[in-house]
Amino acid sequence: MTTVRAPQGYRERPSSVGDAVIWCRDGISATDSPVLPDGCMDLLWVDGRLSVAGPDTRAYRPEPGFADRIAGIRFYPGTAPALLGVPAHELRDARADLADLWSPADLRTASELIARASSPVAGLEAIARWRAGRTDAVDPVVRFLVASLRSGSSVAAIADELETGPRRLHRISLAAFGYGPKTLGRVLRMQRALALARGGMGLADVAVASGYADQAHLTRDVREFSGMSPMKLLGLNLEPPSF
């Protein structure tokens, strides 16, 4: 059976821009672990080409060998659409060249920032900083929604607290995250569960702590999003090193 492993040369660290994370990796192998849904969008530098990774609803497996070096800045859930100028749902489960999303003038500025930077990741941070200076702050409702779902609140309870209807909440979620709040809640719950399990907690306890009905429920959700069992993911994914 083929062994799946963490991406080649993968490193990450917190960005100096907001709550983003910058990361890089060397090449793509057929045995790399998949990229799991996390509620985020990324601005990417792929062998010199700028592109955007939209929000995923399933594991993404890049084709082996399609790039020698990749760098990215992963934005906090809900913050990328304003910075990138495109609603999240338009890029759901998709990757798009930045040239297809931005004006020639904006693309030229981004390319110049990359060219002047000491590294691709520094260039991506410079682009994010430039865009942040031209956009309004993220709607507090978006951050409240993420924080509430991460803490295990139900969508109904969040709607009641915000004194808004479920349809409006769904519209906000589509634009900010690419899918409805229930899907975002499931994605964040899976990520929370995997983090607890990587910390050494048993899967049965993880299921309870993360709000699943039982371990079988946890396994079904992880399989749906990743195509793998929790045991396989946990046995093959390592904590990312810093740089």
Side-chain angles (χ1 to χ4, degrees):
M1 183 174 66
T2 301
T3 299
V4 181
R5 57 181 172 77
Q8 300 179 66
Y10 182 87
R11 302 174 299 282
E12 70 174 40
R13 68 166 171 80
S15 170
S16 61
V17 182
D19 299 316
V21 171
I22 61 169
W23 57 271
C24 62
R25 62 184 290 184
D26 302 322
I28 303 292
S29 167
T31 57
D32 288 344
S33 57
V35 179
L36 300 182
D38 58 7
C40 301
M41 294 173 62
D42 295 53
L43 177 62
L44 305 174
W45 177 95
V46 184
D47 288 344
R49 188 181 76 252
L50 290 168
S51 61
V52 175
D56 293 321
T57 61
R58 56 183 180 271
Y60 173 69
R61 294 174 173 82
E63 289 294 325
F66 97 96
D68 292 323
R69 190 180 180 201
I70 306 172
I73 180 164
R74 182 180 308 118
F75 297 103
Y76 184 86
T79 62
L83 291 176
L84 300 177
V86 58
H89 64 82
E90 292 188 7
L91 294 175
R92 183 173 54 237
D93 293 318
R95 272 69 183 155
D97 286 344
L98 200 59
D100 295 330
L101 304 176
W102 285 8
S103 69
D106 282 354
L107 183 65
R108 185 166 53 252
T109 298
S111 299
E112 290 171 353
L113 289 170
I114 286 282
R116 292 200 301 264
S118 59
S119 66
V121 290
L124 292 173
E125 283 191 291
I127 293 171
R129 195 174 298 111
W130 161 59
R131 297 291 290 192
R134 302 177 60 190
T135 58
D136 295 331
V138 176
D139 186 344
V141 169
V142 170
R143 287 190 176 272
F144 179 82
L145 184 55
V146 175
S148 299
L149 289 170
R150 276 184 170 157
S151 69
S153 297
S154 68
V155 174
I158 295 170
D160 286 345
E161 188 161 355
L162 291 173
E163 297 183 345
T164 188
R167 289 186 179 180
R168 179 171 180 271
L169 201 59
H170 191 79
R171 287 195 299 270
I172 291 171
S173 295
L174 282 180
F177 313 113
Y179 33 66
K182 288 187 177 179
T183 298
L184 177 64
R186 291 178 61 212
V187 166
L188 296 177
R189 181 175 60 183
M190 178 192 68
Q191 289 288 347
R192 183 169 68 249
L194 292 175
L196 289 173
R198 288 190 187 103
M201 185 181 290
L203 288 180
D205 291 333
V206 165
V208 173
S210 303
Y212 291 94
D214 50 30
Q215 185 174 334
H217 184 197
L218 164 65
T219 298
R220 287 194 301 272
D221 249 28
V222 171
R223 280 191 182 278
E224 181 175 338
F225 284 122
S226 73
M228 295 182 180
S229 70
M231 290 298 292
K232 186 170 185 180
L233 275 175
L234 294 167
L236 303 172
N237 281 291
L238 303 176
E239 285 296 317
S242 300
F243 68 96

